[in-house]
Amino acid sequence: MEYQFHIDDSFTPATIPMERLGEYIKALAQLMGETGSVHLDCVTEGSVVLHAAIDQPAQVKVRDRVSGLGGRTASKEVARAFGVLDDMLRKDNATGRLVEVGGQVVIPFPGRNRPEPVVFGPFKQDGTLEGQVIRVGGKDDTIPVHLRDGAVVHTGLNATEDVARRIAQHLLGPTVRVHGTGTWLREGDGTWQLKSFRITDFELLDETPLDGVVARLRAVRGSGWSDVPDPVRELLEDRQGGTDRH
């Protein structure tokens, strides 16, 4: 069993850079899965055609995997791989096709013919961002600041020299909350993309563990917290709008 991936109207085998060819081969392997049973047989003309040979034990799995895109039942992993290939074709001003031996097109790739995504904005709005300061510095009139919030890194943040000088004292330190005005774009799929954020001020967030907060509350004379049997639960209920403590 063999599939052929056509890269049309852009490269030929003689003109496609070897590095780019390798990127297409890798992306095609991710689309098909079963990487131990899918092999590149050859690369032929017209414009560039990658021939992928599928070993017998994996043929049904690969067929089900790629046919799911046509029926809109593909997994997120397969849909992501399709998107990577289509984006590559778009950047290369090309279109593409995944074809079964015999000429049947299994998956068309619009590539350069894909409609431009609808983007709304930009919108400006006052707001806040939180994270650990991981970078402060630059040569512009306003100083770039980068914040890390878990796996997300906020870039495009800028501050005046005075604010940057103060926030730099907390580099790789506790979590900060920055205040300012952000410029946002709304993508066609409803997601929001931050383009820039002008920091006007910031504050340090208290990272004291909950048991430490309880200990401080109980230390306050006359607070009544020393008489509460489960102060952690009480704090959580207060935070969630639970029963009041009297």
Side-chain angles (χ1 to χ4, degrees), residues 1-234:
M1 178 182 181
E2 180 181 288
Y3 284 100
Q4 299 170 358
F5 179 71
H6 293 244
I7 304 171
D8 294 325
D9 308 320
S10 180
F11 298 113
T12 68
T15 62
I16 187 169
M18 183 178 293
E19 182 178 11
R20 191 58 165 168
L21 178 61
E23 291 171 348
Y24 272 110
I25 293 172
K26 180 180 179 180
L28 182 60
Q30 292 173 341
L31 176 71
M32 293 188 167
E34 303 298 317
T35 52
S37 300
V38 178
H39 314 279
L40 180 67
D41 188 39
C42 60
V43 179
T44 60
E45 298 279 352
S47 302
V48 176
V49 183
L50 308 182
H51 295 252
I54 317 298
D55 292 342
Q56 177 68 37
Q59 290 179 4
V60 174
K61 290 184 179 179
V62 173
R63 181 183 288 113
D64 290 346
R65 181 180 174 92
V66 298
S67 63
L69 280 166
R72 300 186 181 276
T73 58
S75 67
K76 291 183 178 179
E77 179 189 0
V78 178
R80 189 182 307 113
F82 171 87
V84 169
L85 275 169
D86 201 52
D87 286 344
M88 292 173 64
L89 292 165
R90 186 182 182 89
K91 290 177 182 177
D92 292 337
N93 195 33
T95 60
R97 295 168 286 149
L98 185 67
V99 179
E100 268 192 283
V101 173
Q104 180 182 357
V105 177
V106 181
I107 306 171
F109 290 79
R112 70 182 182 197
N113 296 331
R114 190 177 71 213
E116 289 284 350
V118 179
V119 177
F120 302 93
F123 303 99
K124 286 193 173 182
Q125 183 174 355
D126 293 341
T128 62
L129 295 171
E130 296 179 4
Q132 182 188 45
V133 182
I134 60 173
R135 178 184 174 187
V136 179
K139 298 181 180 179
D140 299 330
D141 294 336
T142 56
I143 311 300
V145 177
H146 292 183
L147 299 181
R148 179 170 54 211
D149 182 11
V152 177
V153 175
H154 295 298
T155 61
L157 285 61
N158 292 277
T160 62
E161 290 186 5
D162 175 65
V163 172
R165 190 179 300 111
R166 291 189 288 116
I167 205 171
Q169 299 175 21
H170 307 289
L171 184 68
L172 301 179
T175 301
V176 302
R177 176 182 291 136
V178 298
H179 302 263
T181 302
T183 300
W184 300 81
L185 295 176
R186 186 180 183 275
E187 305 289 350
D189 61 1
T191 59
W192 290 87
Q193 180 182 359
L194 178 64
K195 300 298 292 182
S196 63
F197 192 91
R198 176 79 173 193
I199 301 173
T200 56
D201 202 357
F202 72 95
E203 60 183 308
L204 299 180
L205 298 186
D206 189 353
E207 296 183 321
T208 304
L210 194 55
D211 55 355
V213 174
V214 170
R216 290 195 308 202
L217 289 172
R218 283 182 158 173
V220 177
R221 183 175 300 174
S223 67
W225 281 102
S226 58
D227 300 326
V228 178
D230 191 348
V232 172
R233 180 179 179 181
E234 192 80 5

